[in-house]
Amino acid sequence: PAANGEEIRRLHEEIQRHHQTLGKPATLTIDQLAAMVQQQTELVRSRYHVTNVAFRVETVDGKVKLKAKPIQD
């Protein structure tokens, strides 16, 4: 997803929706999100020895979280 601008935009919009549901302003910029996705992608790839990483947005304990998941080839 780090190389896919459309996926980054989709994640950013989803994060904004989750924040709106909670009644909180979303302060994360799309550039900050792109950097976060890149960092998490590299971390998950090296830790789990995979090439693909999937991301999802969740609300946990009133906080919006970006979750990374290794995808086995």
Side-chain angles (χ1 to χ4, degrees):
N4 186 344
E6 188 60 37
E7 183 68 12
I8 296 292
R9 280 191 287 282
R10 186 192 66 76
L11 284 170
H12 190 258
E13 289 171 5
E14 194 171 342
I15 289 169
Q16 288 180 322
R17 280 195 301 273
H18 279 257
H19 277 281
Q20 285 176 340
T21 302
L22 294 172
K24 298 179 180 179
T27 58
L28 185 69
T29 68
I30 200 156
D31 290 334
Q32 290 170 325
L33 176 61
M36 187 185 312
V37 166
Q38 180 66 35
Q39 181 182 27
Q40 287 297 318
T41 298
E42 291 172 10
L43 181 69
V44 170
R45 282 178 178 166
S46 66
R47 182 177 292 164
Y48 296 101
H49 307 291
V50 296
T51 55
N52 296 317
V53 180
F55 287 88
R56 69 183 186 279
V57 179
E58 295 181 354
T59 301
V60 179
D61 296 329
K63 295 181 181 176
V64 179
K65 303 278 185 174
L66 180 66
K67 302 282 186 161
K69 178 182 175 185
I71 303 295
Q72 296 297 326
D73 296 333

